[in-house]
């Protein structure tokens, strides 16, 4: 059984699911009811022996389900099971195996002792860091991202506690499985990718508040009065501690680069001033103390504000933004300088020399910070990414089409295949070498041509040191990827624009009428182009009447939204390269009237065909 629960998404994906996957049981909630309640809705409908809670931001191997069910069948005492999870960069996710968050375990986690001593049996217990991640173990707490449970156990102990909106419900259910006399297992013989999206940014203050409040609900439910009170005090202290830490970190991040710029600007003037004075006043003399005390700080404030105004302190930023700000700031200073009294016009030459230093020091600082990785300042996002695709030819064209529609800046380096071919830049077994030789920034794997098990194997082999990884699921309009669970997913997506949306139905009808009228009025011209003239005229009137449509599917589909019989489709296009970027599924999910025009103009000679 596959049950999809939608918590009031706004991208029309529910229409796509119901149209393209009729065998899936779809529950569309009118509001976001939370993780627990939504999963319970699905569990209550299930009649299976096992129930798997699976996050939508996961990629599983082809044999994952076979392996986990076989293991559970071999362990009658098993109530629940979790698997080895990695992020999009191949890093092991420690929440794959966890211990019960008792007050002591939670204290070590909250105040960083578990991070300092991850392998310690005492301090590293929260994530069971002392247990081998590649061996099967009995554990206490499973992750809700992939949580396989025996249905008979759920019938006995109850479903997810709906007092938990998000976070904590997996801990509560795991603990209730153990209390009922069953065992939970960590099973690493299969690996899944778990991308974490916008709602779970681990550094955010909202995450801290929601997660720790879930822990308070858990403590009050399962711990004795004294322990629950102690745990609550500990958690509330942690919320304040993490909140102050988070605010402090944000302030530091906001002021770090402007402050570094200000200091480097000032020291530039501090050292340039005496050198210039020796040149300006060879017989002795200097500028007054007020110059460094008031004039230079005034210049610096104007430069910093100008760079800020042009977005030069955003992360990441366009490489030209700091320069724009410094140029504007210099012009403003020169205008103000010209309006000052003679007594306060110290030196235009010194000002321009100092302005030159601001340019040099600005970019030098950013380069040094990038090398030292002590600041998150980066130009990477705005640099054209060098992208290679691991896919067959058709999928390569489809992926490029998605990239083109997402407006990202990229250079297509080439295609990598399983076996050497004339139009490829490398083979999959020498992926690391291809990345190095061609200086590839990003690799996109096609799930249609390369199995998820093989993709996961290559992600683990490449590690952090090389290209970013993205995956192109079959027949979707998105490419997914993420570097870390601590950042939001890198997600290239074309908005779903289903063909059966009311506005698209109207657009398509207007297109059909307009084309038919133009064909009829310009009939003498088109009769020279089109082969079957009699059928062409019939088509014009049948489309006008609403019986047929000019552009539609290449064949009849039960799963896709219903369309009138079409005269032309992407399969009538001459060029195979253009054909490859289309499919009936992509046409249905992402309807564009521009595509109708493109198909019509490229296959107009076939407009005398009988409707399919």
């Amino acid at each position: 059984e596959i049950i999809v629960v939608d918590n009031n998404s706004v991208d029309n994906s529910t229409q796509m699911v119901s149209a393209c996957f009729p065998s899936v049981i779809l529950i569309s909630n009118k509001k976001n009811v939370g993780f627990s309640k939504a999963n319970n809705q699905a569990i209550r409908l299930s009649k299976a022996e096992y129930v798997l809670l699976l996050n939508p931001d996961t990629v599983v191997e082809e044999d994952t389900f076979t392996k986990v069910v076989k293991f559970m069948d071999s362990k009658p005492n098993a109530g629940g099971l979790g698997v080895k999870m990695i992020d999009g960069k191949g890093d092991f996710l420690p929440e794959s195996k966890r211990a019960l968050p008792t007050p002591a375990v939670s204290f070590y986690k909250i105040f960083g002792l578990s991070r300092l001593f991850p392998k310690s049996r005492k301090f590293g217990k929260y994530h069971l860091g002392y247990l081998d991640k590649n061996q099967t173990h009995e554990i206490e707490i499973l992750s809700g991202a992939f949580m396989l449970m025996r249905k008979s156990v759920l019938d006995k102990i109850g479903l997810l506690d709906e007092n938990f909106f998000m976070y904590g419900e997996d801990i509560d259910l795991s603990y209730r499985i153990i209390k009922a006399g069953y065992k939970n297992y960590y099973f690493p013989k299969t690996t899944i990718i778990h991308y974490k999206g916008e709602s779970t940014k681990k550094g955010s203050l909202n995450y801290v508040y929601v997660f720790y409040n879930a822990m308070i609900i858990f403590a009050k439910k399962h711990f004795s009065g004294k322990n629950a009170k102690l745990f609550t005090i500990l958690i509330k202290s942690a919320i304040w501690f993490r909140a102050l830490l988070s605010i402090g970190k944000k302030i530091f991040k906001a002021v770090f680069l402007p402050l570094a710029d200000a200091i480097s600007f000032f020291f530039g003037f501090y050292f340039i001033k005496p050198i210039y004075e020796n040149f300006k006043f060879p017989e002795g003399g200097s500028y007054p103390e007020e110059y460094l005390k008031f004039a230079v700080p005034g210049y610096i404030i104007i430069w910093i504000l100008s760079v800020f105004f042009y977005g030069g302190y955003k992360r990441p930023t366009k490489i030209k933004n700091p320069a724009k700000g410094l140029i504007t700031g210099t012009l403003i200073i020169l205008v103000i300088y010209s309006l000052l009294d003679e007594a306060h016009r110290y030196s235009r030459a010194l000002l321009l020399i100092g302005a030159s230093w601001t340019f040099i020091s600005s970019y030098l600082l950013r380069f040094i910070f990038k090398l030292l990785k002590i600041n998150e300042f980066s130009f990477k996002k705005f640099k054209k990414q060098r992208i290679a695709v691991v896919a067959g030819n058709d999928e390569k064209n489809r992926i490029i089409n998605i990239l083109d529609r997402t407006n990202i800046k990229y250079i297509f380096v080439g295609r990598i295949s399983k076996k050497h071919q004339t139009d490829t830049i490398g083979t999959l077994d020498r992926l690391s070498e291809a990345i190095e030789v061609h200086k590839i920034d990003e690799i996109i794997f096609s799930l249609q041509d390369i199995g998820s098990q093989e993709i996961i194997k290559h992600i683990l082999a490449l590690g952090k040191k090389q290209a970013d990884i993205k995956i192109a699921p079959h027949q979707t309009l998105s490419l997914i990827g993420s570097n870390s669970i601590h950042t939001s997913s890198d997600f290239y997506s074309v908005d779903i624009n289903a063909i059966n949306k009311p506005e698209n139905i109207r657009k398509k009808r207007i297109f059909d009428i307009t084309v038919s009228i133009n064909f009829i009025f310009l009939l003498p011209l088109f009769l020279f182009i089109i082969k079957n003239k009699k059928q062409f005229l019939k088509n014009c009137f049948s489309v006008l009447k609403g019986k047929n449509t000019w552009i539609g599917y290449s064949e009849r589909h039960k799963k896709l939204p219903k369309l009138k019989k079409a005269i032309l489709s992407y399969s009538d296009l001459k060029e195979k390269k253009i054909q490859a970027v289309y499919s009936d599924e992509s046409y249905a999910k992402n309807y564009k009237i521009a595509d109708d025009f493109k198909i019509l103009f490229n296959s107009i000679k076939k407009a005398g065909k009988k409707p399919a």
Side-chain angles (χ1 to χ4, degrees):
E1 299 170 325
I2 300 174
I3 305 169
V4 174
V5 186
D6 180 80
N7 264 339
N8 194 32
S9 64
V10 292
D11 60 0
N12 296 304
S13 53
T14 51
Q15 294 180 21
M16 181 272 291
V17 170
S18 58
C20 300
F21 305 98
S23 61
V24 167
I25 301 166
L26 177 66
I27 301 170
S28 297
N29 290 324
K30 300 300 179 187
K31 63 177 183 177
N32 186 353
V33 298
F35 182 86
S36 299
K37 193 168 184 177
N39 272 298
N40 285 348
Q41 287 175 286
I43 294 169
R44 288 188 185 101
L45 294 178
S46 175
K47 298 177 179 66
E49 185 180 349
Y50 296 108
V51 168
L52 172 69
L53 306 188
L54 182 68
N55 270 28
D57 55 353
T58 54
V59 177
V60 302
E61 295 178 331
E62 288 84 355
D63 59 358
T64 291
F65 302 140
T66 309
K67 284 182 176 178
V68 295
V69 169
K70 187 178 178 181
F71 179 84
M72 290 289 279
D73 284 344
S74 70
K75 300 280 185 182
N77 66 341
L81 174 144
V83 296
K84 183 179 180 182
M85 298 190 293
I86 61 171
D87 66 14
K89 267 292 190 184
D91 290 331
F92 174 72
L93 296 180
E95 59 262 40
S96 301
K97 50 182 175 65
R98 288 178 292 173
L100 186 69
T102 60
V105 171
S106 300
F107 178 85
Y108 302 143
K109 169 74 168 65
I110 290 163
F111 292 98
L113 291 169
S114 61
R115 181 176 288 185
L116 287 172
F117 309 103
K119 302 290 184 183
S120 167
R121 285 185 172 270
K122 183 176 183 180
F123 300 125
K125 197 171 182 183
Y126 187 85
H127 285 130
L128 301 170
Y130 52 87
L131 295 180
D132 187 342
K133 65 184 179 185
N134 296 314
Q135 296 295 320
T136 302
H137 300 285
E138 285 183 26
I139 59 170
E140 291 171 324
I141 305 303
L142 306 168
S143 168
F146 185 106
M147 194 170 180
L148 182 70
M149 293 163 293
R150 207 177 291 275
K151 182 66 160 49
S152 58
V153 174
L154 289 178
D155 292 338
K156 184 177 176 181
I157 67 170
L159 306 185
L160 292 157
D161 187 337
E162 294 180 10
N163 288 315
F164 296 93
F165 181 80
M166 187 167 67
Y167 309 123
E169 62 291 303
D170 49 359
I171 298 173
D172 171 70
L173 189 55
S174 299
Y175 187 45
R176 282 191 280 132
I177 290 171
I178 292 169
K179 282 173 74 176
Y182 297 93
K183 295 184 184 297
N184 290 325
Y185 285 92
Y186 165 70
F187 181 72
K189 304 302 179 187
T190 186
T191 303
I192 72 165
I193 304 173
H194 180 204
Y195 299 107
K196 288 203 168 185
E198 292 291 340
S199 63
T200 54
K201 284 185 184 176
K202 296 195 85 175
S204 72
L205 198 56
N206 182 60
Y207 167 83
V208 172
Y209 180 78
V210 175
F211 179 78
Y212 286 148
N213 267 300
M215 293 300 95
I216 291 173
I217 297 169
F218 177 80
K220 287 179 177 177
K221 180 175 178 179
H222 292 292
F223 296 157
S224 62
K226 187 179 178 182
N227 280 340
K229 194 173 182 181
L230 176 66
F231 192 88
T232 302
I233 292 167
L234 176 68
I235 291 297
K236 286 183 176 176
S237 301
I239 291 172
W240 281 106
F241 174 74
R242 291 290 294 271
L244 289 171
L245 205 65
S246 180
I247 292 164
K249 192 177 177 182
K250 281 183 179 178
I251 292 169
F252 178 76
K253 274 187 175 182
V255 303
F256 179 80
L257 198 55
L259 189 62
D261 272 346
I263 292 167
S264 70
F265 295 171
F266 182 82
F267 276 104
F269 275 95
Y270 184 83
F271 289 108
I272 292 166
K273 177 178 167 284
I275 296 168
Y276 184 73
E277 284 172 340
N278 290 334
F279 170 78
K280 179 77 174 173
F281 310 111
E283 296 177 3
S286 64
Y287 293 108
E289 288 183 8
E290 287 81 3
Y291 182 71
L292 281 178
K293 282 184 179 177
F294 301 108
V296 171
Y299 300 159
I300 290 169
I301 288 168
I302 292 170
W303 276 317
I304 298 292
L305 290 174
S306 296
V307 173
F308 177 81
F309 178 79
Y310 277 98
Y313 293 119
K314 286 182 179 178
R315 299 179 181 87
T317 187
K318 290 182 179 177
I319 199 163
K320 59 188 177 182
N321 286 357
K324 279 183 179 178
L326 292 170
I327 291 167
T328 304
T330 302
L331 292 172
I332 292 168
I333 292 166
L334 287 169
V335 170
I336 295 170
Y337 181 90
S338 66
L339 299 173
L340 292 173
D341 294 334
E342 190 74 30
H344 296 105
R345 292 185 201 171
Y346 298 105
S347 170
R348 186 180 281 107
L350 186 54
L351 169 59
L352 292 173
I353 293 166
S356 301
W357 166 250
T358 63
F359 277 85
I360 296 165
S361 68
S362 240
Y363 285 96
L364 186 63
L365 271 178
R366 283 153 177 76
F367 179 70
I368 292 168
F369 291 156
K370 184 174 174 62
L371 286 179
L372 297 176
K373 297 179 180 178
I374 59 172
N375 195 2
E376 291 175 9
F377 192 89
S378 171
F379 299 114
K380 185 178 179 183
K381 186 176 176 182
F382 297 95
K383 180 190 116 183
K384 282 189 176 180
Q385 293 290 90
R386 291 177 61 82
I387 293 176
V389 171
V390 183
N393 239 324
D394 289 352
E395 273 293 280
K396 178 206 77 173
N397 292 327
R398 187 181 74 85
I399 291 166
I400 290 172
N401 187 41
I402 293 172
L403 289 170
D404 289 341
R405 295 186 185 194
T406 58
N407 299 317
I408 67 158
K409 294 180 180 179
Y410 77 98
I411 297 165
F412 179 65
V413 179
R415 182 171 73 89
I416 295 168
S417 62
K418 286 186 175 182
K419 294 179 181 178
H420 178 70
Q421 295 172 5
T422 53
D423 64 338
T424 60
I425 59 166
T427 55
L428 197 50
D429 60 341
R430 300 179 73 180
L431 182 60
S432 183
E433 188 180 322
I435 290 169
E436 195 174 335
V437 169
H438 296 282
K439 295 180 172 57
I440 296 167
D441 298 310
E442 196 169 283
I443 294 285
I444 300 174
F445 285 95
S446 159
L447 258 181
Q448 178 175 336
D449 299 317
I450 314 294
S452 56
Q453 194 167 34
E454 193 169 0
I455 292 172
I456 290 169
K457 182 186 79 175
H458 285 290
I459 290 173
L460 290 169
L462 289 173
K464 297 181 189 178
K465 59 184 178 182
Q466 293 187 322
D468 289 342
I469 304 291
K470 287 195 174 53
I471 294 175
H474 180 43
Q475 293 184 353
T476 66
L477 296 167
S478 61
L479 309 173
I480 56 174
S482 176
N483 294 343
S484 165
I485 63 167
H486 298 278
T487 59
S488 62
S489 295
D490 252 343
F491 186 77
Y492 300 161
S493 177
V494 179
D495 291 334
I496 291 172
N497 187 30
I499 199 165
N500 58 351
K501 286 171 70 173
E503 58 265 40
N504 286 337
I505 292 169
R506 286 196 297 273
K507 283 179 187 176
K508 193 157 182 56
R509 184 65 187 137
I510 291 166
F511 170 85
D512 280 341
I513 291 168
T514 306
V515 168
S516 295
I517 290 170
N518 277 284
F519 275 157
I520 291 166
F521 274 107
L522 300 170
L523 190 62
L525 175 65
F526 287 109
L527 287 176
F528 286 104
I529 301 169
I530 291 154
K531 294 175 183 177
N532 192 339
K533 299 168 181 58
K534 188 177 178 182
Q535 184 62 46
F536 170 65
L537 198 57
K538 279 185 181 178
N539 290 344
C540 290
F541 286 107
S542 69
V543 171
L544 264 180
K545 290 176 185 176
K547 287 182 179 179
N548 300 112
T549 182
W550 280 111
I551 313 295
Y553 302 140
S554 61
E555 55 185 286
R556 305 307 293 169
H557 291 273
K558 289 182 180 178
K559 293 182 179 181
L560 296 180
K562 285 185 179 179
L563 280 184
K564 293 162 188 169
K565 283 186 178 182
I567 292 140
L568 300 169
S569 73
Y570 77 93
S571 62
D572 293 303
L573 295 167
K574 281 183 181 180
E575 293 184 42
K576 294 291 180 185
K577 283 184 180 179
I578 302 177
Q579 265 193 39
V581 303
Y582 288 101
S583 70
D584 288 339
E585 288 80 6
S586 66
Y587 182 76
K589 291 176 190 174
N590 189 45
Y591 173 71
K592 285 186 176 181
I593 201 164
D595 287 340
D596 278 359
F597 278 110
K598 191 173 184 179
I599 292 168
L600 181 70
F601 290 138
N602 279 281
S603 54
I604 199 163
K605 288 182 180 179
K606 299 181 181 179
K609 277 174 57 185
K610 284 188 178 182

